[in-house]
């Protein structure tokens, strides 16, 4: 069976149209992982924060501090990393202030994206661009 | 394997007042993508989960999916309303679980 170029073009456009994001746009890296966390629910802005250096010289050790007031669970993704999801973090009854500081690996310059779920099931998100001189993945 | 845990928890805290906990362990946190000097891929070996509980209740529960740096250090805040014990657990992907405890009193 041979495909004409016109057939292939029609198939390609048709393929794009059935992406599960309700639009014909190509999904960006990290979108699928975030959609899995939110179940496709709307994501708003809240008072989340990611503190990170503007420029990280060594991508093996990028110090970040996240704050997610009132959140039950958060997920950090680094869409340009080979492993896109960095971690899931739950805050329990004995946590105070929902702050977490650690060091992560970043393969290259990108936006870190933090998505949070509140106890009422709503989601918020914040992005923070970090430039990376030498990748660390 | 020895992870040489270093944990900082105050000896006492006022009820309801937030304080900071710091933890650090030795662990290569190999992603399974790094090549050694001989050009061989170093196999994946990571702490996949970290939990901190106080008197049986969760403070934090971290699931490591991807790139957390080697010798992982975690800093977070807690508040207590009674004396008791923090229990810290690091779950190695070998199946081993490393546990440390720290007692705390009410100020």
């Amino acid at each position: 069976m041979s495909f004409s170029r016109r057939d292939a073009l029609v198939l390609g456009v048709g393929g794009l149209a059935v992406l599960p994001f309700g639009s014909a746009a190509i999904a960006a890296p990290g979108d699928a992982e975030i959609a899995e966390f939110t179940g496709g629910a709307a994501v708003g802005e809240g008072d989340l924060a990611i503190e990170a250096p503007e420029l990280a010289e060594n991508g093996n050790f990028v110090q970040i501090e996240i704050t997610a007031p009132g959140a039950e669970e958060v997920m950090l993704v680094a869409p340009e990393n080979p492993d896109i999801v960095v971690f899931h973090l739950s805050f329990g009854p004995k946590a105070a202030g929902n702050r977490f500081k650690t060091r992560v690996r970043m393969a290259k310059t990108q936006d870190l994206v933090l998505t949070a779920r509140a106890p009422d099931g709503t989601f918020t998100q914040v992005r923070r661009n970090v430039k990376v001189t030498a990748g660390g993945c | 394997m020895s992870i040489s845990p270093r944990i900082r928890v105050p000896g006492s805290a006022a009820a309801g007042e937030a304080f900071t906990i710091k933890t650090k362990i030795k662990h290569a946190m190999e992603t399974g993508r790094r090549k050694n000097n001989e050009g061989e891929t170093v196999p994946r070996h990571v702490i996949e989960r970290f939990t901190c509980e106080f008197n049986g209740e969760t403070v934090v529960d971290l699931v490591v999916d991807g790139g957390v740096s080697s010798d992982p250090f975690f800093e977070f805040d807690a508040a207590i309303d009674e004396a008791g014990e923090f229990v810290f657990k690091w779950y190695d992907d070998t199946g081993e679980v490393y546990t440390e405890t720290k007692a705390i009193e009410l100020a």
Side-chain angles (χ1 to χ4, degrees), chain A residues 72-95:
Chain A
E72 212 165 54
E73 189 182 355
V74 303
M75 179 181 74
L76 184 74
V77 303
E80 302 295 329
N81 277 10
D83 299 311
I84 289 175
V85 182
V86 182
F87 59 70
H88 286 79
L89 173 65
S90 299
F91 294 99
K94 292 303 172 201

Side-chain angles (χ1 to χ4, degrees), chain A residues 25-117:
Chain A
I26 297 177
D31 283 358
E33 289 76 6
I34 290 168
E36 198 182 318
F37 182 63
T38 64
V43 178
E45 269 181 44
D47 45 7
L48 297 183
I50 301 172
E51 203 179 292
E54 261 186 51
L55 171 65
E57 303 253 331
N58 182 353
N60 282 305
F61 299 100
V62 182
Q63 181 160 293
I64 64 165
E65 181 176 293
I66 63 162
T67 28
E72 212 165 54
E73 189 182 355
V74 303
M75 179 181 74
L76 184 74
V77 303
E80 302 295 329
N81 277 10
D83 299 311
I84 289 175
V85 182
V86 182
F87 59 70
H88 286 79
L89 173 65
S90 299
F91 294 99
K94 292 303 172 201
N98 292 12
R99 178 182 75 90
F100 195 82
K101 190 191 249 187
T102 187
R103 285 189 303 241
V104 298
R105 297 183 192 273
M106 292 184 67
K108 50 156 100 160
T109 294
Q110 60 189 294
D111 282 357
L112 293 175
V113 186
L114 183 73
T115 309
R117 186 184 70 243

Side-chain angles (χ1 to χ4, degrees), chain A residues 83 105 136-137, chain B residues 28-34 42-46 66-68:
Chain A
D83 299 311
R105 297 183 192 273
C137 273
Chain B
M29 298 296 277
E30 291 288 356
T31 59
R33 296 202 168 77
R34 189 177 67 87
V42 179
R44 182 178 174 80
H45 180 205
V46 295
V68 169

Side-chain angles (χ1 to χ4, degrees), chain A residues 60 88 90 92 99 101 105, chain B residues 59 61 63 67 69 73 75 77:
Chain A
N60 282 305
H88 286 79
S90 299
R99 178 182 75 90
K101 190 191 249 187
R105 297 183 192 273
Chain B
V59 182
D61 187 333
V63 174
S69 304
F73 120 93
E75 180 182 307
D77 302 321

